[in-house]
Amino acid sequence: MRCAGPMPDLLILASLSFSLWISSSFFPNFRVHGLVLVQNFSTLLWHTSIGYPPMNVLEFTGLVFIGSFVAGLLGALTGLGGGVVLVPLLALFFKVDIRYAIGASLVSVIATSSGAAAAYVKEGFSNIRIGMFLEIATTIGALFGAYIAGSVPTSAIAIVFGAMLMYSAYLSRRPRTAKERNVPQDALATRLKMNGSFPEGNGIRHYNVKNVPTGFGLMFGAGTLSGLLGIGSGAVKVLAMDQAMKIPFKVSTTTSNFMIGVTAAASAGVYLARGYIDPGLTMPVMLGVLGGSLLGARILVEAETKWLRILFSIVIAVLGIEMLYKGIIGGI
Amino acid sequence: MFKAESWSDQKIEIIIGNLLRVGVSISAVVVAFGGLLYLTRHGKTLPDYYTFQGEPAALRGFHGIVHNAIALQGRGMIQLGLLLLIATPVVRVLFSIWAFAVERDRMYVGFTIIVLAVLLYSLFGAGAAL
């Protein structure tokens, strides 16, 4: 019998308790013994949510690390990306100012994109020409987004963020296009040498690309969102490639992952110069997300992720509603 | 003809993938080391992220960060690791220019130079333009 159902949940529990155990050995404030640890952890969570008594830097760093680790793990397991829940996690739960949260999230997005690239590349799905051409649009968009992030009020950023989360949750529930598409050769895409091939089964599958200008325009939008919100905006990138340019889904997702790091680097310079990137906060976020996503990518092959995807998309939707609400009442 | 081209593309991508992994690993080690320094010295203080003040000027630019990191300041060391992380995609783009040049693909050398220019503008020009 295949134990596909409860497996991912068990894995998450196991890794969560493992990271708890690791952090407890680093932080003397946590006790290592079973129940006491759980008790201390829930006490800490409770104190975090009511904001009293104030945590010290050690406790704060430990909790942010654990939260980011779980976000990275879930993001990799479901393929939805962990970056999109980092900012709500930091802003809503840890009460971090949204600008620090965006800075920390953006830097972590570079780490996950680059860290996962080596694994994706071996499979031979990503298309570097499509990626590089579209990066012209995403990097210019990211620079633009990072600039306007400085003059847009934080409540407006929260509202856009909430809408983006709801949209990601909606996209994740849509069926993926896996079937072969017969796309005729497009003059512009052919001139740009975008048509490619990838290994499938025992053979090689060729594909053609179309609607390059539409894809380019959508990529500018994806870059702007990335620079404004500090996320990878992989959902929009995949949408542009899969839906508009008719690129096969596998090629779209791996090429998108490849592009995310370069896109994020384009707004990172502006964020750094503005003082959005705080080392004390970014350290646990970056290390946590990186660790979680690497672990997630490793166990991805065995895990059955259908229920996990549903669960995670509900979490994303709820966070989206709360971000919208906080943005509208001016709580952020 | 087609096969040879896709093979070399594949090889380039594998090199790029490994390049990125090495870059991320180095930066993670530097960040973790800086984190240890920071936590041993400031672990008992209270975090203050509730209101936005922005980072001090010394942690916003290259000179200040490198200066701080050499002085073994935890926050400066973390920031140096993050700079290395931001630099990995830039190195990747630089490498792609070379790779496209080897393939004699002038058009894509041009496209990649545009991407590099935007990245360098963000890293070096953004501070001055603010």
Side-chain angles (χ1 to χ4, degrees), chain A:
Chain A
M1 218 180 92
R2 229 161 54 98
C3 59
M7 205 178 140
D9 305 33
L10 283 179
L11 282 170
I12 288 159
L13 274 178
S15 55
L16 180 63
S17 41
F18 179 71
S19 50
L20 269 172
W21 177 71
I22 288 286
S23 38
S24 67
S25 57
F26 280 118
F27 306 125
N29 304 57
F30 296 165
R31 303 259 158 69
V32 199
H33 309 290
L35 270 178
V36 187
L37 173 65
V38 174
Q39 195 190 355
N40 278 10
F41 183 60
S42 44
T43 318
L44 262 180
L45 283 182
W46 170 245
H47 287 161
T48 313
S49 50
I50 60 169
Y52 184 85
M55 284 181 290
N56 67 28
V57 165
L58 262 180
E59 292 160 335
F60 179 83
T61 306
L63 278 180
V64 169
F65 177 83
I66 293 166
S68 308
F69 189 92
V70 174
L73 184 67
L74 282 173
L77 280 177
T78 56
L80 302 178
V84 82
V85 297
L86 278 179
V87 173
L89 178 81
L90 293 171
L92 299 174
F93 188 70
F94 289 102
K95 308 278 186 290
V96 170
D97 185 280
I98 197 167
R99 284 160 286 199
Y100 286 134
I102 286 174
S105 165
L106 184 89
V107 171
S108 310
V109 158
I110 303 178
T112 49
S113 161
S114 299
Y120 283 128
V121 150
K122 279 199 196 101
E123 295 162 3
F125 292 123
S126 57
N127 183 320
I128 44 173
R129 284 197 168 74
I130 295 177
M132 195 54 77
F133 180 73
L134 295 177
E135 270 164 12
I136 298 174
T138 60
T139 49
I140 294 173
L143 204 54
F144 174 66
Y147 271 122
I148 59 173
S151 44
V152 172
T154 51
S155 58
I157 292 179
I159 291 171
V160 177
F161 211 115
M164 182 67 202
L165 285 166
M166 307 278 282
Y167 181 63
S168 302
Y170 161 75
L171 272 188
S172 72
R173 304 298 317 127
R174 281 184 37 174
R176 299 170 172 192
T177 42
K179 62 178 191 301
E180 189 141 7
R181 288 186 280 219
N182 284 315
V183 178
Q185 287 219 345
D186 175 273
L188 182 58
T190 308
R191 253 190 72 108
L192 293 170
K193 299 179 221 169
M194 283 180 169
N195 303 327
S197 61
F198 61 91
E200 191 183 53
N202 295 321
I204 282 181
R205 184 169 136 192
H206 295 267
Y207 57 88
N208 291 327
V209 176
K210 63 185 242 179
N211 296 334
V212 178
T214 315
F216 196 82
L218 283 170
M219 284 295 172
F220 179 81
T224 307
L225 282 172
S226 172
L228 183 66
L229 307 177
I231 57 175
S233 65
V236 183
K237 289 193 176 85
V238 172
L239 182 87
M241 285 191 270
D242 179 54
Q243 294 295 315
M245 298 172 76
K246 305 294 176 197
I247 300 167
F249 191 77
K250 271 184 178 170
V251 179
S252 301
T253 47
T254 49
T255 305
S256 154
N257 177 74
F258 227 53
M259 296 170 62
I260 283 172
V262 175
T263 309
S267 27
V270 180
Y271 279 20
L272 189 72
R274 279 228 187 90
Y276 281 27
I277 298 176
D278 181 87
L281 176 69
T282 312
M283 180 257 299
V285 175
M286 176 246 176
L287 293 176
V289 175
L290 184 64
S293 63
L294 288 180
L295 181 68
R298 200 154 282 192
I299 57 184
L300 183 60
V301 195
E302 300 127 63
E304 173 65 58
T305 56
K306 190 184 156 213
W307 288 104
L308 204 59
R309 277 179 71 87
I310 294 175
L311 183 76
F312 197 48
S313 61
I314 293 172
V315 171
I316 290 176
V318 170
L319 288 174
I321 293 169
E322 193 163 352
M323 286 293 272
L324 274 177
Y325 174 73
K326 284 276 168 66
I328 290 166
I329 65 162
I332 279 186

Side-chain angles (χ1 to χ4, degrees), chain A residues 27 29 54-58 60-61 94-97 99-100 107-108 110-111 114-115 117-118 121-124 126-130 132-133 135-136 139-140 143 147 191-194 196-197 204 206 258-259 261-262 265-270 272-283 286-287 290, chain B residues 2-3 5-6 9-10 12-14 16-18 20-21 24 27-28 31-32 35-36 38-39 42-55 59-61 65 75 78-79 82-83 85-86 88-90 92-93 96 100 103 105 107-108 111-112 114-115 118-119 121-123 125-127 129-130:
Chain A
F27 306 125
N29 304 57
M55 284 181 290
N56 67 28
V57 165
L58 262 180
F60 179 83
T61 306
F94 289 102
K95 308 278 186 290
V96 170
D97 185 280
R99 284 160 286 199
Y100 286 134
V107 171
S108 310
I110 303 178
S114 299
V121 150
K122 279 199 196 101
E123 295 162 3
S126 57
N127 183 320
I128 44 173
R129 284 197 168 74
I130 295 177
M132 195 54 77
F133 180 73
E135 270 164 12
I136 298 174
T139 49
I140 294 173
L143 204 54
Y147 271 122
R191 253 190 72 108
L192 293 170
K193 299 179 221 169
M194 283 180 169
S197 61
I204 282 181
H206 295 267
F258 227 53
M259 296 170 62
V262 175
S267 27
V270 180
L272 189 72
R274 279 228 187 90
Y276 281 27
I277 298 176
D278 181 87
L281 176 69
T282 312
M283 180 257 299
M286 176 246 176
L287 293 176
L290 184 64
Chain B
F2 176 78
K3 259 204 143 160
E5 189 183 289
S6 69
D9 267 17
Q10 176 76 3
I12 288 165
E13 285 184 58
I14 288 173
I16 289 176
N18 288 330
L20 292 174
R21 195 167 52 180
V24 172
S27 94
V31 168
L36 278 179
Y38 167 68
L39 288 179
H42 303 281
K44 296 292 175 202
T45 58
L46 294 180
D48 184 18
Y49 302 115
Y50 311 109
T51 50
F52 182 78
Q53 290 129 5
E55 295 308 303
L59 294 174
R60 292 183 186 204
I65 290 172
R75 286 163 63 85
I78 296 172
Q79 218 69 333
L82 298 180
L83 270 186
L85 184 67
I86 296 169
T88 41
V90 183
R92 187 211 128 181
V93 170
S96 299
F100 283 129
E103 288 189 25
D105 190 337
M107 181 166 62
Y108 272 86
F111 290 153
T112 314
I114 298 174
V115 174
V118 177
L119 288 179
Y121 173 74
S122 165
L123 285 171
L130 285 176

